[in-house]
Amino acid sequence: MVILDGKGTSDQIKLEIRDEVNKMKLKGERVPHLAAVLVGNDGASLTYVGSKVRSCDYVGFKSSLIQFNNDISEKKLLNEIKKLNHNPILDGYIVQLPLPKHINEQKILLAIDPKKDVDGFHPENFGRMALQLNSYIPATPFGIIQLLDRYKVPTSGKHCVVVGRSHIVGKPISILMSQKRPAGNATVTLAHSRTENLVAITRQADIIIMALGIPEYLKADMVKNDVTVIDVGITRVPDKNNSKGYSIKGDVAYDEVSKKASFITPVPGGVGPMTIAMLLKNTLLARQWN
Ligand code: GUN
């Protein structure tokens, strides 16, 4: 069994990006600049955004954290988005999700200039990704295909079962895995909450990508021997034995499933760190493309 080390791989990718930034500096070029918009003070979102900003410092990017109170109006937020679109020294930015209930998420994502949409959530980027044109691939699916590619996990002709149909992970990774590309050419099944007899489907899978958000949902009796398992879940569950009061659980019962797997991602240290590395990669692309 091989553990797909997302932490180590993301460190390697960050070093590659830092090298690129150093070359830019030597040539006297402006370094990439990423901004993150955070509305409210959700604990998990604060942690993720903090980590994104720290990673920018590490690779030599400029970064800006733009914070608003939970009660900012949709109109005011749209106005701030407009300002970011027109800021010539900003290469890319993200609006951290989820947003408060009174703000229409789709409306905000549609307002982001696709050229600065380094999350790849705008319909123009999603469409370009689906058609294999140059685009920003959403960071989590981008991280998954990088991990599969760098570890040379066989995917061509394999049956890949994706569990979860979110716009951010399940939907895009199901498209990417089916495409003619490295870490692609798979036969893909996209399963979700309405899927009947999921176990019969996961038992047929050569590759399972779990993006459901239910801790330890995938058990050993749901997979065949030598399966490859990618765990996108990162749920905080109360844990009295942890100083933070919670621990992070993936969608996979790791201890039992890993015994049957040929390749598997751990949680934490799997897909999570890859997501941040690929956001940085998209920001570097934004600096190079625009
Ligand atoms: N919330 C959870 N994942 C993401 C992500 O990849 N980007 C943004 N903007 N918000 C998120």
Side-chain angles (χ1 to χ4, degrees), residues 161-215:
V161 174
V162 178
V163 185
R165 57 180 159 183
S166 71
H167 294 175
I168 297 181
V169 185
K171 198 81 61 65
I173 193 65
S174 68
I175 294 170
L176 292 163
M177 292 300 296
S178 73
Q179 286 176 340
K180 201 176 273 187
R181 60 153 67 245
N185 294 305
T187 304
V188 177
T189 300
L190 179 54
H192 46 76
S193 53
R194 301 287 173 92
T195 296
E196 291 180 2
N197 205 357
L198 178 64
V199 178
I201 298 170
T202 55
R203 279 184 185 150
Q204 290 175 23
D206 301 304
I207 302 164
I208 302 178
I209 300 177
M210 289 300 295
L212 201 57
I214 303 178

Side-chain angles (χ1 to χ4, degrees), residues 72-137:
I72 185 175
S73 71
E74 185 180 276
K75 193 169 167 207
K76 173 111 199 306
L77 186 58
L78 282 168
N79 206 40
E80 297 293 334
I81 299 281
K82 212 181 272 174
K83 283 191 217 162
L84 295 174
N85 286 343
H86 290 110
N87 183 344
I89 57 157
L90 192 61
D91 299 289
Y93 68 96
I94 64 156
V95 178
Q96 186 66 27
L97 304 178
L99 288 169
K101 293 221 169 356
H102 67 276
I103 295 175
N104 182 333
E105 224 160 72
Q106 281 302 329
K107 221 167 166 177
I108 301 297
L109 296 181
L110 277 168
I112 297 174
D113 179 348
K115 289 194 169 59
K116 297 193 178 193
D117 169 39
V118 284
D119 256 334
F121 293 167
H122 190 281
E124 183 173 317
N125 280 313
F126 197 97
R128 292 182 67 90
M129 175 207 66
L131 296 171
Q132 291 193 269
L133 301 168
N134 272 352
S135 73
Y136 304 113
I137 298 173

